[in-house]
């Protein structure tokens, strides 16, 4: 049961409001009267709505229901897909739509791409991104990044030829061509425990190869001799949904890695295949803030990785960690009967990059920035 104040004629209401000298009395009376009007309006609105529903015919209700079902289906369909990459990221090196070739890699032609060395305004762009990050968060812990961006030209031009990252050099990081397995122990052990899982998914993929065509999802890279194929799950931190669906267990495994680079354009994950007789031209990676991890899936004899002039061999079921900002190459000199050399490659954070620095670098080198 709801108590509703009795209404008054409009003249009486005005008389009350004019004659009362007490402001509190005025407010109370006005509130009570407005409350009564609101309840009347609410009752009228509800009655009108009920009558409208009663007047609707079956066809109109069916149409509304169909539109609702279509909307739910559309939301589900869109939710299953990964977000589309920004154009600037999709145009980064390794893109299938670009034409420039250098050191066996594909480079983009976009003046906006932070990954390209031909971008004359790169330092200004990086410094602007750092300033924006510091305004939002803090300058605390940004000393090395600020120093690196401020003197980037000197670092990249005056570095010894053995280590010369093409895009960004973070100063004062320990430099070594290879890292011990303990550098990222958790992730190394996790990958090695799942060796058979990754290998099985690769073998299923590789069955699609034929002599006359390149299977969907695979990319052929430029090499002086032989054939080098890559199958990317994550390319410059952009997931490739079609490829990930073909390797679901491997893709889910990436989410369990603690140090996987997953929020800036230096992060990749792919299967790399070298056919016998293949040589990859010597080249430098884009930055020294990452450790490139190779999990050996198939490692015939005669295969070698050379980083900073130091040779190493892969082993099946074992991880090999190296800094690809050093000059490096790989080759497969085994026989055709031994088959291809296959590794699962994923980019991890350099162990000496602090948490605050990682957060800032993720912001500075975010896809599309």
């Amino acid at each position: 049961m709801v108590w509703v104040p009795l209404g008054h004629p409009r003249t009486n209401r005005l008389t009350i409001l004019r004659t009362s000298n007490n402001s509190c009395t005025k407010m109370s009376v006005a509130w009570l009267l407005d409350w009564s009007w609101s309840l009347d309006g609410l009752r009228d609105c509800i009655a009108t709505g009920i009558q409208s529903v009663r007047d609707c015919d079956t066809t109109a209700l069916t149409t509304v229901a169909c539109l609702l079902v279509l909307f739910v289906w559309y939301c589900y369909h869109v939710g299953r897909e990964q977000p589309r990459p920004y154009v600037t990221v999709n145009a980064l090196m390794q893109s299938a739509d670009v034409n420039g070739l250098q050191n066996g890699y594909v480079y983009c032609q976009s003046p906006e791409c932070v990954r390209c060395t031909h971008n004359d305004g790169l330092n200004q762009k990086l410094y602007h991104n750092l300033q924006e990050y510091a305004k939002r968060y803090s300058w605390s812990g940004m000393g090395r990044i600020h120093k690196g961006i401020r003197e980037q030209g000197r670092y990249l031009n005056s570095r010894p030829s053995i280590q010369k990252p093409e895009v960004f050099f973070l100063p004062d990081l320990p430099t070594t061509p290879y890292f011990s397995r303990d550098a990222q122990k958790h992730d190394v052990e996790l990958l090695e425990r799942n060796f058979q899982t990754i290998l099985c998914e690769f073998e299923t993929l590789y069955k699609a190869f034929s002599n006359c065509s390149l299977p969907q999802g695979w990319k052929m890279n430029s090499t002086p001799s032989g054939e080098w194929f890559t199958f990317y799950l994550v390319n410059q931190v952009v997931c490739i949904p079609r490829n990930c669906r073909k390797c679901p267990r491997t893709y889910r495994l990436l989410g369990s890695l603690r140090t996987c680079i997953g929020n800036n354009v230096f992060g990749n994950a792919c299967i790399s295949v070298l056919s016998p007789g293949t040589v990859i031209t010597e080249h430098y990676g884009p930055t020294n803030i990452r450790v490139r991890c190779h999990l050996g899936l198939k490692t015939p004899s005669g295969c070698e990785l050379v980083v900073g002039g130091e040779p190493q061999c892969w082993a099946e079921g074992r991880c090999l960690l190296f800094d690809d900002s050093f000059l490096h190459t790989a080759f497969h000199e085994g026989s055709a009967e031994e088959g291809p050399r296959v590794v699962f490659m994923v980019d991890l954070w350099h162990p000496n990059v602090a948490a605050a620095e990682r957060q800032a670098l993720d912001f500075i080198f975010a896809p599309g920035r």
Side-chain angles (χ1 to χ4, degrees):
M1 179 176 180
V2 179
W3 176 80
V4 180
L6 294 175
H8 298 279
R10 182 172 178 81
T11 54
N12 292 342
R13 296 176 191 145
L14 294 175
T15 302
I16 293 173
L17 293 175
R18 289 196 184 105
T19 57
S20 175
N21 295 324
N22 190 317
S23 60
C24 292
T25 304
K26 289 181 181 180
M27 293 176 61
S28 300
V29 172
W31 179 81
L32 290 172
L33 295 176
D34 288 341
W35 183 28
S36 175
W37 296 345
S38 298
L39 289 176
D40 292 338
L42 179 61
R43 283 196 298 269
D44 293 339
C45 182
I46 292 174
T48 302
I50 292 173
Q51 186 61 39
S52 298
V53 172
R54 289 175 178 173
D55 293 340
C56 284
D57 57 15
T58 305
T59 304
L61 291 175
T62 303
T63 302
V64 171
C66 291
L67 291 174
L68 181 61
V69 170
L70 287 174
F71 177 76
V72 171
W73 174 85
Y74 174 79
C75 292
Y76 171 76
H77 178 73
V78 172
R80 289 183 61 193
E81 294 291 334
Q82 294 290 336
R84 292 184 180 180
Y86 293 91
V87 174
T88 51
V89 176
N90 199 34
L92 293 173
M93 54 191 247
Q94 297 288 347
S95 172
D97 299 325
V98 297
N99 301 316
L101 293 176
Q102 180 180 344
N103 290 335
Y105 281 87
V106 185
Y107 282 75
C108 87
Q109 305 299 318
S110 170
E112 301 299 324
C113 176
V114 299
R115 289 291 310 273
C116 294
T117 56
H118 61 251
N119 186 352
D120 296 332
L122 177 61
N123 286 0
Q124 291 83 351
K125 179 181 292 187
L126 296 183
Y127 192 74
H128 171 77
N129 291 347
L130 175 60
Q131 285 182 315
E132 186 178 347
Y133 173 84
K135 287 178 182 178
R136 293 189 184 186
Y137 302 101
S138 171
W139 280 102
S140 178
M142 298 298 104
R144 287 198 298 189
I145 296 178
H146 182 257
K147 178 181 177 182
I149 293 176
R150 189 180 65 246
E151 304 183 36
Q152 197 64 204
R154 179 174 68 84
Y155 284 130
L156 298 184
N157 294 327
S158 63
R159 293 291 300 170
S161 59
I162 193 173
Q163 184 194 26
K164 189 175 288 187
E166 295 182 332
V167 177
F168 178 72
F169 178 80
L170 186 64
D172 305 323
L173 279 183
T175 58
T176 178
Y178 294 97
F179 291 81
S180 70
R181 294 164 45 81
D182 291 336
Q184 300 294 5
K185 186 176 180 180
H186 173 272
D187 291 349
V188 166
E189 292 178 348
L190 183 62
L191 288 168
E192 292 179 351
R193 284 198 304 270
N194 288 272
F195 160 69
Q196 286 295 338
T197 296
I198 301 172
L199 177 61
C200 288
E201 292 193 329
F202 158 72
E203 289 176 338
T204 301
L205 287 173
Y206 201 64
K207 290 177 182 177
F209 267 87
S210 65
N211 295 327
C212 58
S213 64
L214 186 67
Q216 191 177 50
W218 287 89
K219 181 178 293 184
M220 179 179 288
N221 304 283
S222 174
T223 56
S225 62
E227 294 178 328
W228 174 25
F229 305 100
T230 47
F231 186 85
Y232 276 90
L233 303 181
V234 179
N235 187 9
Q236 317 303 340
V237 85
V238 178
C239 293
I240 304 176
R242 182 174 55 195
N243 289 2
C244 292
R245 285 194 288 267
K246 293 179 181 179
C247 300
R249 291 179 293 176
T250 302
Y251 177 65
R252 284 196 297 269
L253 180 64
L254 294 176
S256 300
L257 300 177
R258 293 178 180 174
T259 61
C260 180
I261 297 179
N263 295 304
N264 68 60
V265 296
F266 298 127
N268 303 270
C270 74
I271 295 173
S272 174
V273 178
L274 294 185
S275 63
T278 301
V279 175
I280 298 177
T281 307
E282 288 184 322
H283 61 283
Y284 302 98
T287 181
N288 65 330
I289 66 172
R290 73 185 186 188
V291 174
R292 179 148 283 187
C293 175
H294 281 184
L295 172 65
L297 301 180
K298 290 183 177 292
T299 57
S301 60
C303 298
E304 209 166 60
L305 173 68
V306 182
V307 182
E310 300 180 21
Q312 289 277 359
C313 294
W314 296 277
E316 291 184 5
R318 302 281 289 181
C319 287
L320 182 61
L321 306 178
F322 64 99
D323 183 344
D324 72 329
S325 67
F326 283 81
L327 188 67
H328 64 285
T329 182
F331 53 86
H332 182 356
E333 295 180 341
S335 63
E337 291 75 20
E338 293 181 286
R341 181 239 60 177
V342 185
V343 299
F344 177 65
M345 185 204 80
V346 60
D347 290 319
L348 309 176
W349 282 104
H350 189 294
N352 295 96
V353 178
E357 292 174 321
R358 295 180 186 184
Q359 180 177 323
L361 291 168
D362 281 344
F363 183 90
I364 294 169
F365 291 100
R369 182 169 292 281

